[in-house]
């Protein structure tokens, strides 16, 4: 069946030139430039201030709700495994101890401090502890951003709007990953630098302390160096002399980085990752988080993406550009340099979007606040009394609606993301049930696992794995070998012979061709299938299969919403449904339908897709797309056309639906 079907794949400041001696320290500090008379800084009434503060708190709460999500990061397993490895007294790994294919590959574990921390948290409080720990990291980061923004006069309206946009844009990366610690450290470093640049007494000695911790927690410590360099360069250009204090503490921040288990290799490691920014890099070409937010790789099979976060990023990016001119006029050159670095990183890949938010939000706020909107829009002369009330009122409405949809999972399901609100483990992304079956059946021998499952498998079951998401250990050459093994039977058999593979596990919903080939390959037999994973073993493996299929049930296709004369609610009704009640995507029926469809069992595929539509009330058009494909091949054309008409309401350019409606 050559046509594509829809899948839910897991599927991103210098101020003035005048200086004075201050604090008796003998160091030159800039005097903050006075705000021009035209700067749009509100002085609202006390009542309006309270309302604005409530709106600001509501945005902060929404950001916190985004961070309360089930543990489903594909990387969480190898971080826990490495942390437990170190806590067990095995020391810091030098070569990879967790796979049987890469145990000679060098392993520079720059995240070891983070891994030990979360391993201890997991021991103490399991998944809820991990969620709370990372929630605190997110809240601390945005609290620091707000404190940085308050160092200079600013528009309260712009603060609320930018914080909301920044939180929405960054939430895609609120996962159980060491990046969250880097965002916090970066925000604190920038707070210190902006504070000093504004003429406030600043404990610069904190810079090397932060970098000593940072270099032992995550490789993004180089961003702190970049920030210090930007401010140092601006001070040199302004004063025509070196800021000795900043230079000394900045140099100390570089030197302390060598205090890590790997010495100079740990310092050099982040620079080895720059190849991922190149368009021809195999990681950049095939891994979603390395995709540019300006060039999303969408298709009819994978049409969904987090629209609201991407739109928020585009708004945020546009505002950073608008703010450049007023920042230049106010001589906040450090903000301009920071923008150049962080905007470029965010434009390259989705995973860097939070870096733009953390690095540029305060400067963008100051730049926008310096714009006298009434000069360009005369109706906005009464800026204070109109804009702030409108902004705060709209913000309260938006945050309340979004917050309810987040808590009810409708926010994530709306873009078919696998994230879910809550405190436990996410069974939609991690092969939790499959691992339980592996342990119960005593499956042993070397596995060939999909990269997405490698991290969790290495932590949750005793056998070393084939590959996992530590791309710095994998390397481009082995990654290419892995992809070849999944792409062709000959390469797969060569891999089996080379490594002694005995069983295989992968997410079939995003591996249609592999599943089809494995079903036809008499060297393998399917042993286990659930809503997330399929397990094949070699044909000579002595184990009884556990193929738990849903009970077959006849579904009246003509009675489904939108088919025949049965009415189907509109998109707005489904949206509001997620505000007032918990939303559930029928993932089990949908994914099992994909399994049967890919293995050409049309009758069962149709039953599963029809059941998924029935359970969801017809809320998701991609299920109609798949049911339409089944009905088309069964020759039930009238109902197939009904399905494709629903598809075209949401995806008017769907080529397959357009073609089949013409027949």
């Amino acid at each position: 069946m050559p046509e594509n079907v829809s899948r839910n794949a897991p599927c991103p400041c210098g101020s003035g030139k005048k200086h004075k001696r201050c604090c008796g320290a003998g160091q030159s500090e800039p005097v903050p430039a006075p705000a021009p008379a035209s700067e749009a800084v509100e002085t609202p009434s006390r009542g309006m201030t309270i309302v604005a503060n409530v709106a600001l708190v509501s945005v902060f709460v929404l950001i916190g709700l985004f961070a309360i999500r089930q543990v489903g990061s594909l990387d969480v397993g190898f971080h826990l495994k490495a942390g437990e490895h170190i806590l067990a007294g095995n020391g810091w790994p030098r070569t990879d101890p967790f796979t049987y294919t890469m145990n000679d590959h060098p392993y520079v574990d720059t995240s070891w401090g983070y891994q030990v921390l979360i391993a201890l948290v997991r021991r103490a409080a399991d998944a809820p502890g991990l969620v709370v720990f990372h929630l605190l990291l997110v809240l601390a980061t945005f609290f620091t951003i707000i404190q940085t923004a308050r160092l200079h006069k600013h528009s309260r309206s712009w603060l609320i709007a930018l914080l909301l946009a920044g939180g929405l844009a960054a939430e895609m990366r609120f996962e159980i990953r060491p990046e969250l610690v880097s965002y916090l450290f970066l925000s604190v470093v920038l707070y210190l630098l902006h504070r000093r640049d504004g003429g406030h007494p600043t404990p610069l000695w904190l810079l090397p302390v932060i970098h000593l911790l940072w270099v032992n927690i995550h490789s993004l410590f180089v961003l702190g160096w970049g920030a210090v360099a930007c401010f140092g360069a601006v001070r040199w250009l302004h004063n025509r002399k070196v800021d000795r204090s900043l230079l000394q503490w900045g140099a100390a921040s570089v030197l302390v980085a060598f205090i890590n288990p790997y010495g100079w290799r740990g310092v050099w490691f982040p620079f080895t990752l720059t190849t991922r920014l190149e368009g021809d890099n195999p990681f950049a070409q095939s891994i979603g988080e390395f995709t540019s937010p300006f060039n999303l790789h969408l298709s009819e099979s994978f049409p969904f993406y987090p629209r609201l976060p991407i739109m928020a990023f585009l708004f945020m990016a546009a505002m950073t550009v608008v703010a450049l001119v007023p920042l230049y006029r106010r001589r906040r050159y450090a903000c301009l340099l920071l923008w150049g670095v962080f905007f470029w990183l965010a434009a390259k890949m989705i995973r860097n979007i939070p870096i733009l938010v953390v690095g540029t939000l305060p400067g963008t706020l100051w730049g926008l606040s310096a714009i006298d909107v009434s000069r360009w829009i005369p109706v906005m002369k009464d800026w204070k009394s109109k804009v702030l009330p409108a902004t705060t009122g709209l913000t309260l409405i938006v945050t309340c609606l979004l917050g309810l949809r987040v808590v009810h999972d409708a926010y994530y399901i709306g873009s078919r993301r696998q994230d879910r609100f809550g405190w436990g483990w996410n069974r939609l992304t991690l092969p939790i049930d499959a691992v339980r079956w592996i342990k119960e059946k005593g499956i042993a021998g070397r596995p060939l696992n999909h990269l997405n499952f490698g991290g969790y498998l290495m932590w949750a079951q005793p056998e070393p794995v084939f590959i996992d998401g530590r791309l710095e250990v994998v390397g481009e050459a082995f990654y290419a070998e892995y992809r070849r093994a999944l792409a062709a039977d000959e390469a797969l058999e060569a891999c089996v012979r080379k490594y002694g593979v005995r069983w295989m596990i992968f997410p079939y919903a995003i591996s249609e061709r592999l599943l089809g080939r494995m079903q036809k390959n008499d060297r393998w037999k399917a042993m286990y299938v659930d809503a997330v994973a399929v397990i094949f073993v070699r044909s000579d493996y002595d184990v009884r299969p556990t193929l738990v299929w849903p009970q077959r049930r006849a579904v009246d296709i003509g009675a489904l919403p939108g088919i025949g004369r049965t009415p189907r609610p509109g998109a707005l009704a489904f949206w509001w449904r997620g505000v007032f009640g918990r939303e559930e995507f029928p993932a089990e029926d949908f994914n099992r339908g994909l399994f049967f469809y890919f293995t050409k069992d049309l009758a069962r595929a149709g039953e599963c897709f029809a059941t998924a539509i029935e359970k969801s009330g017809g809320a998701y058009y991609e299920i109609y797309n798949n049911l339409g494909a089944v009905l088309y091949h069964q020759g039930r054309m009238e109902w197939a056309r009904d399905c494709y008409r629903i598809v075209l309401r949401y995806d008017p350019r769907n080529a397959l639906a357009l073609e089949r409606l013409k027949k």
Side-chain angles (χ1 to χ4, degrees):
M1 301 173 189
E3 73 276 351
N4 293 324
V5 296
S6 300
R7 280 160 275 185
N8 287 331
C11 301
C13 63
S15 47
K17 289 186 177 179
K18 297 180 180 180
H19 295 77
K20 66 178 181 180
R21 300 285 182 182
C22 68
C23 303
Q27 296 294 330
S28 295
E29 300 284 0
V31 178
S38 61
E39 185 170 338
V41 180
E42 299 103 327
T43 54
S45 65
R46 181 179 178 182
M48 198 63 243
T49 299
I50 294 174
V51 174
N53 287 335
V54 170
L56 190 61
V57 170
S58 72
V59 175
F60 201 69
V61 170
L62 177 63
I63 291 171
L65 292 177
F66 282 134
I68 303 174
R69 61 181 60 164
Q70 294 176 358
V71 179
S73 170
L74 300 177
D75 295 343
V76 66
F78 70 69
H79 286 306
L80 290 171
K81 183 72 172 181
E84 292 174 353
H85 177 85
I86 296 170
L87 288 173
N90 297 308
W92 297 282
R94 303 290 173 172
T95 55
D96 180 41
F98 309 130
T99 65
Y100 64 86
T101 53
M102 302 181 293
N103 47 27
D104 61 340
H105 289 207
Y107 184 14
V108 180
D109 187 8
T110 56
S111 299
W112 73 268
Y114 167 82
Q115 292 161 349
V116 168
L117 274 175
I118 68 167
L120 291 171
V121 170
R122 207 281 310 171
R123 286 183 182 180
D126 202 49
L130 294 175
V131 175
V132 171
F133 176 68
H134 291 81
L135 165 65
L136 295 176
L137 291 175
V138 170
L139 293 179
T141 298
F142 279 86
F143 177 79
T144 306
I145 292 173
I146 293 173
Q147 296 306 111
T148 305
R150 288 176 171 170
L151 291 174
H152 299 282
K153 291 182 178 180
H154 62 267
S155 161
R156 194 181 297 265
S157 299
W158 280 119
L159 174 60
I160 294 171
L162 289 177
L163 193 67
L164 177 58
L168 282 168
E171 63 85 5
M172 290 185 291
R173 305 299 298 174
F174 291 174
E175 296 184 333
I176 311 298
R177 302 179 73 153
E179 296 169 21
L180 294 185
V181 185
S182 282
Y183 302 151
L184 176 57
F185 283 153
L186 177 60
S187 68
V188 174
V189 167
L190 289 172
Y191 170 76
L192 294 172
L193 295 172
H194 281 301
R195 179 179 176 83
R196 177 175 173 80
D197 214 49
H200 305 285
T202 305
L204 290 181
W205 59 267
L206 284 174
L207 292 176
V209 174
I210 292 170
H211 282 86
L212 177 60
L213 296 173
W214 200 347
V215 74
N216 288 288
I217 287 181
H218 194 223
S219 58
L220 285 183
F221 64 88
V222 293
L223 295 178
W225 291 357
V228 173
C230 287
F231 281 85
V234 167
R235 281 176 166 267
W236 180 78
L237 290 173
H238 272 195
N239 305 338
R240 299 300 179 184
K241 63 179 181 180
V242 175
D243 183 338
R244 293 183 179 178
S245 182
L246 185 59
L247 177 63
Q248 290 169 357
W249 290 114
S253 299
V254 174
L255 292 176
V256 298
F258 289 86
I259 306 175
N260 71 81
Y262 302 93
W264 68 268
R265 291 183 179 86
V267 175
W268 178 249
F269 175 76
F271 300 99
T272 66
L273 305 180
T274 56
T275 56
R276 300 180 194 176
L277 299 173
E278 300 171 1
D280 57 351
N281 183 273
F283 297 142
Q285 291 176 340
S286 58
I287 297 178
E289 68 183 36
F290 296 147
T291 301
S292 168
F294 294 109
N295 185 28
L296 300 173
H297 302 313
L298 304 176
S299 68
E300 289 187 2
S301 295
F302 301 104
F304 301 104
Y305 67 97
R307 294 178 184 273
L308 192 55
I310 294 297
M311 290 172 60
F313 162 74
L314 295 177
F315 171 79
M316 185 79 192
M319 292 301 99
T320 65
V321 174
V322 172
L324 292 179
V325 172
L327 286 173
Y328 175 79
R329 289 176 177 173
R330 291 179 59 77
R331 299 172 182 170
R332 299 194 189 277
Y333 301 129
C335 292
L336 301 181
L337 288 179
L338 292 173
W339 176 87
V341 174
F342 296 144
F343 187 90
W344 177 74
L345 289 172
K348 285 299 240 180
M349 57 181 63
I350 286 176
R351 67 176 296 166
N352 291 335
I353 286 177
I355 295 175
L356 177 73
V357 175
V358 174
T360 66
L361 193 150
T364 302
L365 172 63
W366 301 329
L368 295 176
S369 298
I371 299 175
D372 184 2
V373 180
S374 63
R375 291 181 58 189
W376 312 100
I377 310 176
V379 74
M380 300 303 295
K381 288 183 179 180
D382 196 5
W383 174 266
K384 301 172 187 176
S385 63
K386 292 181 179 178
V387 174
L388 185 57
T391 302
T392 53
L394 181 61
T395 301
L396 286 171
I397 294 172
V398 169
T399 53
C400 287
L401 292 177
L402 284 179
L404 289 170
R405 285 180 59 81
V406 169
V407 171
H408 293 149
D409 286 331
Y411 174 83
Y412 302 117
I413 294 173
S415 54
R416 308 307 187 264
R417 291 163 62 181
Q418 307 291 356
D419 298 309
R420 292 295 183 267
F421 180 84
W423 311 90
W425 297 93
N426 189 326
R427 295 178 178 273
L428 297 176
T429 60
L430 303 176
I432 295 173
D433 295 323
V435 168
R436 181 182 294 112
W437 181 84
I438 290 168
K439 291 180 177 179
E440 289 176 355
K441 297 298 182 181
I443 301 297
R446 293 180 168 183
L448 172 56
N449 60 276
H450 193 278
L451 182 143
N452 287 2
F453 289 166
Y456 184 80
L457 284 171
M458 72 166 54
W459 173 68
Q461 57 94 43
E463 298 290 339
V465 300
F466 185 90
I467 193 172
D468 68 279
R470 294 167 300 151
L471 302 181
E472 67 278 7
V473 179
V474 173
E476 282 83 348
F478 184 73
Y479 182 66
E481 180 183 352
Y482 154 77
R483 294 186 69 193
R484 287 193 299 269
L486 299 188
D489 288 342
E490 297 80 6
L492 176 59
E493 288 306 309
C495 179
V496 169
R497 291 191 298 270
K498 180 178 180 180
Y499 296 107
V501 172
R502 297 294 294 156
W503 57 282
M504 188 172 181
I505 179 171
F506 59 91
Y508 58 84
I510 61 174
S511 307
E512 167 191 355
R513 295 179 180 177
L514 176 61
L515 176 61
R517 291 201 320 274
M518 295 293 286
Q519 284 289 110
K520 299 175 184 177
N521 193 331
D522 57 9
R523 297 186 181 94
W524 296 89
K525 54 184 178 181
M527 286 290 107
Y528 175 87
V529 182
D530 61 25
V532 176
V534 60
I535 296 176
F536 284 85
V537 301
R538 296 296 283 181
S539 57
D540 60 348
Y541 203 113
D542 185 17
V543 63
R544 294 183 62 185
T546 306
L547 303 178
V548 183
W549 307 123
Q551 184 177 0
R552 300 198 65 167
R553 58 189 295 266
V555 180
D556 184 358
I557 303 294
L560 294 176
I563 298 181
R565 297 184 179 181
T566 307
R568 176 177 177 271
L572 187 60
F574 289 124
W575 193 92
W576 279 106
R577 189 175 77 176
V579 173
F580 296 108
R582 189 169 187 83
E583 190 78 4
E584 289 189 17
F585 184 87
E588 183 171 351
D589 293 298
F590 180 82
N591 284 348
R592 290 190 188 278
L594 289 175
F595 181 89
F596 290 126
Y597 185 85
F598 294 154
T599 54
K600 299 186 179 181
D601 188 343
L602 293 181
R604 282 195 166 185
E607 291 172 4
C608 290
F609 291 139
T611 301
I613 291 174
E614 187 178 63
K615 288 181 178 178
S616 64
Y620 310 109
Y621 82 87
E622 69 273 21
I623 310 180
Y624 285 94
N625 189 42
N626 296 350
L627 179 60
V630 171
L631 295 171
Y632 175 84
H633 287 292
Q634 291 178 332
R636 303 158 82 177
M637 297 303 299
E638 186 167 346
W639 284 345
R641 291 191 183 97
D642 286 341
C643 290
Y644 285 126
R645 290 189 188 99
I646 293 172
V647 172
L648 291 177
R649 292 178 197 168
Y650 296 87
D651 185 11
R653 298 182 180 180
N654 189 291
L656 190 63
L658 290 170
E659 176 187 345
R660 289 183 173 173
L661 282 176
K662 292 179 182 178
K663 296 181 180 181

